[in-house]
Amino acid sequence: MKWLPQSYYDTIKKFWQSVVGVEEKIVRARTEEGKFVADDKSTPDVNEAYTTVKVKKKKRGRPKKKK
């Protein structure tokens, strides 16, 4: 969808995330051992220390009745 302006793309993305029940969060990147990944200074336009993760939203409201 590169032919759409960025504002339209963001609006469509937010709408789809609300339909699916997913939220994107930016978290610190980790290696397979669980250690933090450092930022590579040779690439100033890319930040390797943070990644985007999709997280399911928690349902809100009254809990169901137990029988």
Side-chain angles (χ1 to χ4, degrees):
M1 291 218 259
K2 295 293 181 185
W3 50 272
L4 285 175
Q6 186 65 30
S7 62
Y8 290 128
Y9 177 73
D10 292 339
T11 305
I12 292 169
K13 187 175 179 182
K14 286 180 185 178
F15 173 74
W16 184 249
Q17 287 177 354
S18 68
V19 169
V20 176
V22 175
E23 181 181 5
E24 287 187 351
K25 287 191 174 185
I26 298 175
V27 295
R28 225 16 233 276
R30 295 184 181 260
T31 62
E32 291 181 7
E33 292 111 25
K35 297 180 180 179
F36 289 127
V37 175
D39 187 23
D40 187 11
K41 300 294 181 185
S42 65
T43 57
D45 57 338
V46 180
N47 190 355
E48 292 87 9
Y50 289 91
T51 58
T52 304
V53 179
K54 293 184 179 180
V55 179
K56 284 192 169 187
K57 290 184 181 179
K58 292 183 179 180
K59 292 190 177 185
R60 300 176 77 187
R62 177 177 277 174
K64 293 183 178 179
K65 290 185 178 180
K66 294 183 180 179
K67 292 184 179 181

